Amino acid sequence: MADQLSVKCNKFNKKARNGEDQSSGHYDDFAVVEANDEECAVERVNRLTKTVTQFQEHLRERVSYYLGYPANHNCEHYLALSTLLQFNINNVGDAFKESDHGLHSKKFEVGVLDWFARLWGIQKDEYWGYVTNGGTEGNLHGILLGRELLPNGILYTSKESHYSLFKIARMYRMDCETIASLATGEMDWTTFKGAMDDLDLVVQTLTDCGFSDNQFYIHCDAAISGFVVPFLKQVPKFTFKKPIGSVSISGHKFLGCPMPCDVLITRKRYIDMLSTSIEYIATVDTTISGSRNGHSPIFLWYVLNIKGRKGLEQDVEKCLVNARYLRGRLKKAGISSMLNEMSITVVFERPPDREFIHQWQLQCLGNMAHVVIMPHVTVEMLDRFLCDLVRKRNIWHGIRQPRCVAEDIGICNCVCSVHA
């Protein structure tokens, strides 16, 4: 069935595989066409419906090969909320302040924020937050608070941090110091390899260097790990019981919210620095963006109620088991690979085939590629991937040995001719 769908949807993915620019005129099939007298309204709707239906088939086929990016595609339960799409819902302004804009979902938003506040150990009257339009906005807001508290501060971040951190430093014109990382991806004393920096060690290092709590600000970008760590035993937690300033976690990744979003939580006492009253919307401006998606808080509220802590814990355990399964199969096949403890990201040698990378939608960095085990990833899906990888790897390398990746993932994880 997947092969049939790939033929039907050829116009959607053929040019993307060839690396053609969507803005260069190759996507004329999807140009906006003005209505004309020769086409009646019914014919026009049928034409558009056909295109959308074909695109839906294309998406369904691509989901079956979705391994390299951190997004959960078990999204069927969200269909129950589809009737809400007939409303333009806008959560403009502060999540905790009403406005004259009546079509908002702030009650749902506060319910979501309260749940995350409990998850991260901060009292209801001590936190502030909002549902952002994506992970970068969550990082933008967290680092902005740190800069306002410490105007002359320096941004320190791991060299393997999410690319948005370095972009934010440029936007805010902040001095940024990059900290080297270990082969595991942790700070040498974190996104691509699925590593989690040791928060306790970071705090201890700052303390040993003579910094008091009011002389540093820690923003935790917990985009994926924020849904894994809280459900693990004997693992250091991200919590406001420690001297952190803010935490952000993506809602479209592990939870699979159909629209990009992020939850940002900080300490309530910090937000007054950014608070501005806006008369014509009759609310307070405390967020990075003005207008905010009012649908995403409802979707987050819905899935948190459907899953609950128990359901999320089961999802985490399933992902950890499947990550260990993939790592074990790669090792057995003689493929250099790495899996950090309690991580759902499996790193392995980069395939030298652009077509293969595109087919399985792998993320690549230097000599490495990775698979992120999300709840939609099944053992059957991993078996198809492994079979395809092993078969094509024999063609790629022939009698030649694959490249050494010891510097990327550590000598103990490299199975090249030197380190095997």
Side-chain angles (χ1 to χ4, degrees):
M1 183 63 180
D3 289 338
Q4 293 173 349
L5 287 177
S6 65
V7 171
K8 289 180 181 178
C9 304
N10 188 50
K11 68 178 181 179
F12 289 99
N13 55 31
K14 180 178 180 181
K15 289 164 184 171
R17 286 200 303 270
N18 293 334
E20 294 181 7
D21 188 348
Q22 297 186 24
S23 64
S24 63
H26 296 294
Y27 278 52
D28 291 341
D29 289 340
F30 305 97
V32 176
V33 180
E34 296 297 331
N36 58 68
D37 295 337
E38 297 178 0
E39 183 181 44
C40 70
V42 173
E43 291 174 335
R44 186 161 60 251
V45 170
N46 287 340
R47 173 172 56 81
L48 297 175
T49 300
K50 180 181 178 181
T51 299
V52 172
T53 300
Q54 290 175 338
F55 184 60
Q56 183 172 306
E57 292 175 350
H58 160 75
L59 293 176
R60 196 172 284 124
E61 186 266 342
R62 297 309 287 140
V63 163
S64 68
Y65 292 91
Y66 196 96
L67 283 181
Y69 289 80
N72 177 14
H73 289 282
N74 282 344
C75 302
E76 295 84 359
H77 46 272
Y78 289 120
L79 289 172
L81 306 178
S82 60
T83 55
L84 292 174
L85 296 178
Q86 65 187 304
F87 300 104
N88 187 335
I89 310 175
N90 190 334
N91 284 14
V92 62
D94 193 291
F96 298 89
K97 304 292 184 182
E98 290 283 345
S99 74
D100 289 341
H101 186 280
L103 275 70
H104 64 77
S105 63
K106 292 185 178 181
K107 292 180 180 178
F108 291 90
E109 184 172 16
V110 172
V112 170
L113 295 172
D114 285 347
W115 189 89
F116 279 99
R118 292 192 298 271
L119 186 70
W120 292 329
I122 187 168
Q123 296 298 314
K124 184 176 178 65
D125 60 349
E126 294 179 354
Y127 90 86
W128 179 90
Y130 74 105
V131 176
T132 78
N133 292 310
T136 296
E137 184 179 345
N139 289 336
L140 271 166
H141 201 286
I143 294 175
L144 177 61
L145 287 170
R147 193 197 68 175
E148 294 300 295
L149 283 166
L150 302 167
N152 298 317
I154 299 172
L155 176 62
Y156 289 90
T157 188
S158 162
K159 75 171 186 178
E160 298 201 29
S161 295
H162 190 264
Y163 67 87
S164 67
L165 276 299
F166 306 99
K167 176 168 65 177
I168 290 167
R170 293 194 301 271
M171 290 173 66
Y172 290 159
R173 298 185 182 277
M174 298 177 67
D175 290 334
C176 180
E177 294 291 340
T178 303
I179 300 174
S181 60
L182 304 170
T184 59
E186 298 175 71
M187 280 187 181
D188 192 0
W189 8 36
T190 49
T191 296
F192 189 85
K193 296 175 181 175
M196 292 173 280
D197 294 324
D198 190 330
L199 177 59
D200 293 336
L201 185 57
V202 171
V203 173
Q204 186 61 52
T205 301
L206 289 167
T207 302
D208 292 345
C209 290
F211 291 96
S212 58
D213 289 359
N214 64 348
Q215 292 180 305
F216 62 82
Y217 181 97
I218 297 176
H219 171 69
C220 300
D221 179 6
I224 305 174
S225 61
F227 270 116
V228 178
V229 172
F231 302 104
L232 301 179
K233 297 177 181 178
Q234 299 178 339
V235 174
K237 303 291 192 294
F238 297 105
T239 172
F240 282 90
K241 291 180 171 59
K242 300 174 183 179
I244 63 174
S246 51
V247 179
S248 63
I249 183 171
S250 295
H252 58 285
K253 293 181 178 176
F254 201 86
L255 287 181
C257 185
M259 59 282 294
C261 60
D262 179 271
V263 175
L264 182 280
I265 298 284
T266 186
R267 298 182 188 276
K268 192 174 184 179
R269 65 177 183 268
Y270 296 155
I271 201 59
D272 289 341
M273 297 179 298
L274 303 180
S275 182
T276 305
S277 179
I278 307 297
E279 181 180 358
Y280 70 87
I281 58 173
T283 188
V284 177
D285 179 30
T286 47
T287 60
I288 295 289
S289 56
S291 292
R292 295 187 294 111
N293 190 326
H295 288 88
S296 51
I298 304 174
F299 280 63
L300 293 176
W301 172 88
Y302 187 79
V303 71
L304 290 174
N305 276 283
I306 291 289
K307 290 281 186 180
R309 290 182 65 102
K310 184 176 181 180
L312 290 171
E313 186 173 356
Q314 291 172 346
D315 282 349
V316 168
E317 179 59 27
K318 171 191 169 185
C319 292
L320 290 170
V321 169
N322 286 348
R324 290 192 288 268
Y325 173 79
L326 176 58
R327 162 70 166 123
R329 289 288 306 275
L330 288 169
K331 186 175 182 180
K332 186 176 180 180
I335 299 174
S336 298
S337 58
M338 180 188 77
L339 173 65
N340 281 311
E341 187 178 3
M342 298 303 175
S343 174
I344 57 176
T345 301
V346 181
V347 183
F348 59 100
E349 61 190 51
R350 179 175 184 162
D353 184 346
R354 184 71 189 89
E355 179 77 14
F356 182 88
I357 291 170
H358 172 81
Q359 176 73 2
W360 290 99
Q361 298 162 80
L362 302 176
Q363 279 191 315
C364 297
L365 181 66
N367 296 324
M368 302 173 290
H370 76 195
V371 166
V372 184
I373 306 296
M374 289 278 107
H376 76 275
V377 176
T378 63
V379 171
E380 292 74 20
M381 189 175 177
L382 294 176
D383 284 342
R384 284 195 295 113
F385 167 73
L386 285 160
C387 181
D388 197 20
L389 175 62
V390 171
R391 179 175 60 86
K392 291 181 177 175
R393 189 170 179 266
N394 290 333
I395 298 172
W396 299 330
H397 297 298
I399 61 174
R400 293 178 301 163
Q401 286 291 326
R403 71 184 72 181
C404 174
V405 290
E407 290 187 6
D408 302 291
I409 61 176
I411 292 176
C412 61
N413 296 310
C414 181
V415 295
C416 72
S417 57
V418 176
H419 299 112

